[in-house]
Amino acid sequence: MFDFGIKDAIDIVCVASLLYYIYRLMKVSGSLNIFYGILVFIVTWIAVSQVLQMKLLGSIFDKLVSVGVIALIIIFQEEIRRFFLTLGSQRRLSVITRFFANKVTEEEEDEDFILPIVMACDYMSKNMVGALIIIEREMSLNDIVKSGEFVDARINTELIKNIFFKNSPLHDGAMIIRHNRITAAGCILPVSHNLNIPKELGLRHRAALGITQQSDAIAVIVSEETGSISIAQRGEFKLRLATNELESILVNAMKP
């Protein structure tokens, strides 16, 4: 008789959680069809080797699996890198810090931090000035910061407007905000190759989606062609936002 205990239940839950996380990772990166293909291959391999016990075909599948692991590491190196960054970037003491922190003070800091961004985006939207603002969260964006010009300035509306002014040398790059300060500008971002991105969206939107696929950052985009304001987060867009919607999304996103 087959014994099913609490350890088996935990094992199944862990495997299901891992598969779900991989599914979300593949969906964000636009590799969902590859994920389905891998699942089909694994099911076939188990059926041939364990259920049907076909020795010759099973040995061929075993060899393919041993080589396939290396191939998968090469193909999904960005996704694997993001997985380990997620594991290693968590702020372990954040719960203790928030427990002792003054809630009113945190809300006031968030408002001071977000309002200048919203006001700058509102101005740039009305004047058809393109902008790309990246807000770092748990995962470090050091590699992205190094690709641009170091600024390290307090966030204020006029500075954001001047950086993205059409004749500014930093206009075409991305601004990185870290710890409530403008850390760098003119930064180069990885471009998403997701084929489902609407064709009317330009390079700024692709770059915004690319960085949110590889990190937990939030990207705010102002279109130079239409003046519309959008947000990219977790590999997904929220398009054509009003300024009050932008503020609400940012406030909710930056909550602990």
Side-chain angles (χ1 to χ4, degrees):
M1 183 179 289
F2 179 73
D3 294 327
F4 186 86
I6 185 67
K7 187 188 295 184
D8 300 301
I10 295 173
D11 190 21
I12 292 172
V13 170
C14 290
V15 172
S17 300
L18 180 62
L19 287 175
Y20 177 69
Y21 182 83
I22 295 173
Y23 167 79
R24 286 183 57 191
L25 207 61
M26 295 295 105
K27 184 178 179 181
V28 167
S29 62
S31 307
L32 203 53
N33 289 334
I34 299 177
F35 175 76
Y36 291 144
I38 293 172
L39 280 184
V40 171
F41 179 83
I42 292 173
V43 170
T44 306
W45 172 47
I46 293 173
V48 168
S49 301
Q50 304 297 324
V51 180
L52 301 177
Q53 295 184 348
M54 301 171 69
K55 294 183 179 179
L56 181 59
L57 192 58
S59 62
I60 294 174
F61 270 94
D62 291 340
K63 295 294 182 182
L64 287 174
V65 168
S66 60
V67 176
V69 171
I70 300 174
L72 288 176
I73 292 174
I74 296 172
I75 294 172
F76 297 114
Q77 55 183 324
E78 289 296 334
E79 285 77 7
I80 294 171
R81 179 175 177 270
R82 184 184 178 196
F83 173 76
F84 285 110
L85 276 173
T86 303
L87 289 181
S89 306
Q90 302 301 319
R91 296 172 186 172
R92 306 296 182 186
L93 300 177
S94 60
V95 175
I96 300 175
T97 304
R98 288 163 190 161
F99 179 80
F100 290 105
N102 186 320
K103 186 175 180 181
V104 176
T105 303
E106 287 181 355
E107 290 177 353
E108 289 176 352
E109 287 179 355
D110 286 340
E111 186 176 348
D112 292 341
F113 157 54
I114 291 170
L115 192 58
I117 298 175
V118 174
M119 292 175 64
C121 288
D122 181 50
Y123 171 85
M124 292 184 291
S125 173
K126 292 175 180 176
N127 291 273
M128 309 292 281
V129 176
L132 179 52
I133 302 171
I134 310 300
I135 303 172
E136 182 187 84
R137 301 184 71 197
E138 300 290 336
M139 297 176 66
S140 174
L141 300 177
N142 280 336
D143 292 342
I144 304 299
V145 170
K146 291 176 183 177
S147 69
E149 297 295 329
F150 188 67
V151 178
D152 190 27
R154 183 177 60 85
I155 299 174
N156 66 81
T157 302
E158 293 303 319
L159 180 56
I160 296 174
K161 287 158 57 176
N162 287 330
I163 287 176
F164 289 110
F165 180 68
K166 292 184 180 181
N167 294 328
S168 167
L170 303 177
H171 166 70
D172 288 329
M175 173 188 293
I176 308 298
I177 291 178
R178 170 190 287 171
H179 305 317
N180 294 5
R181 291 182 68 83
I182 300 174
T183 302
C187 297
I188 301 171
L189 303 183
V191 178
S192 174
H193 298 287
N194 191 331
L195 299 178
N196 296 322
I197 298 176
K199 293 182 178 179
E200 65 268 16
L201 301 182
L203 190 59
R204 278 193 183 88
H205 289 80
R206 287 190 172 274
L209 196 67
I211 192 62
T212 60
Q213 287 175 341
Q214 297 185 15
S215 72
D216 62 349
I218 301 171
V220 181
I221 316 105
V222 180
S223 172
E224 190 170 357
E225 289 76 22
T226 63
S228 63
I229 302 172
S230 305
I231 276 185
Q233 187 179 8
R234 302 189 191 93
E236 296 181 352
F237 281 123
K238 293 179 181 177
L239 302 172
R240 293 177 287 277
L241 300 173
T243 52
N244 61 327
E245 292 175 316
L246 173 64
E247 183 177 6
S248 176
I249 291 172
L250 289 178
V251 168
N252 290 329
M254 298 309 296
K255 283 181 179 178

